[in-house]
Amino acid sequence: MRLTNTLQNYRRDWLGADLTAGLIVAILITPQAIAYAMLAGMPPQAGLYAALLPVIVYALLGTSPVLAVGPVAIISLMTFEALQPLASPGSSEYMALAAGLALLTGLWLLLFFLIDLGRWTNFISHSVISAFTSAAAILIVLSQIRHVTGLPIPSDGPLWQPIQTLLSASDQLRPDVLLLFALALLLLLSWQKGMPRLTRRLPQWLASLLNKAAPLVLVIAGIAAVSGLALPVKVVGELPAGLPALQLPWLTWPQWQSLLPSAAVIALIGYLESLAVAQSLADRRGPKLHSNQELLALGGANLVAAFSQAFPVAGGFGRSVVNHAAGAKTQLASIITAVLVAVICLFAARLFMNLPNAVLAVIIVVAVWPLIRFAEGWQAWRYQKSDGLVWLMTFAGVLLGGAESGILLGMLLSLVLFLKRTSEPHIAEIGRVGNSDHFRNIRRHQVGTSPTVLMIRIDENLYFANSHFLQETIANSLQQRPAVQHVVLVGSAINHIDYIGLETLQHLLQDLRERGVQLHLAEFKGLVMDRLQRTDLLPQLAPGRIFFTASEALRELGQC
């Protein structure tokens, strides 16, 4: 394992692109970091701290040249959900718990790295991740209603409380806050839609800078409006100047225990989200993405986040796309971003003192709105009802029970449906297509069969959950065809037979002999046959035979 594969063999002609990308992402991440800190219940400077050391550590260990690590919306929401029952948001205890959560998240990721979890990235179905992301995005949007309306909505209330409060206390709405939000939203959307048309003839680096500068322009406009017009709206307040003091979070043993499950879920979701972003932006000609080393890189990033008074971090989709579009060649672009954020922490923190919370709410809402993808749930339902059910139950679970409950519900339901599907696998009686050596399902094709030969193909591995179903299927077929003298089990789709499956074959052999029917095997793979040869099944099979092809079996047994 190499330290990194993005900074090695660096070329001088890449420096300009990396400098430009680093500057553009720094412009984007500064208001986002403050906004996501607010979403996580942390003071605004914690968001900037999360964009310093974690970014540098990932740059040294990560294998994606463009993945931009730092605070992200989904992980910020999960941080808030995990911590708000334990302490008051913004308090010193809350900040210590957030750092502890980042530490445990990093340790979980390192554990995943040691057990090579990167090889099992498809363990959680896409339906679970899609539903979780959509539901979490809705929760994030609802959490911003109090900043948009100025209503005193508790941050730890149930899902429906923001809407209920909005309807019942509509006479208390703050017109100035609503107007500020509406104007900020209009400015952000107009900039994102119109600026690319105006910058088409500019140099690419300058066009990218202007196209992605909307959040920074919005922040400047919001600060100017509050400072110049003295608007009585809630603002960020003064940020402490300087870099974070490195310190280990000190928590009690019960507090560590209470954070452990949440940290595991955050680690898993953060990794999957980061890996999905990195894979979507991977360049076939660029360095190869190593999924397991990404666990090491993200684990290290979260560990230093814990020591720098921040909260859990992951790879952000929006910033990574901007980094890629701006032409970043290596993770040097991320290091440049971290250096610029450090300069802001040292010398420009006071500039954000009058930044309105309503402006930050606009940045958050616009960033997460594209994550609400009901179309994916509908497509999953149309294709396969079980996948649609997993999507729906995960979505409802996250909305009603929180991120952890929803994900666990989706994973459990996926597992149950998988076991149900494999416990009743597709089993087909097959016959010859014309005079060829091809065999197909007799219910779907015009095929030739023999009245004395029953050819059965099981399209699944043979294991404890479906062994009994195979026996029942063959028994039912024999009741309908009393003239059968031979049963040929075609194993072309069988890759594994467990011990219960072996016992099933032995019982099937005995049951068929009592009926006066002989069992034969055909098209079993070499790996499966190697295991069967270590048992007594093959000697017991005689005078039953093992055929290389189904065609050979039907020709010799059925004279067809």
Side-chain angles (χ1 to χ4, degrees), residues 142 145 153 159-168:
L142 291 176
I145 290 180
I153 302 174
L159 166 68
W160 55 86
Q161 189 166 45
I163 300 176
Q164 184 181 13
T165 305
L166 181 62
L167 295 176
S168 62

Side-chain angles (χ1 to χ4, degrees), residues 179-193 218 362 366:
L179 180 60
L180 180 62
F181 175 83
L183 291 175
L185 182 63
L186 180 62
L187 173 62
L188 189 57
L189 295 179
S190 300
W191 188 287
Q192 290 180 346
K193 187 175 182 179
L218 181 59
V362 170
V366 172

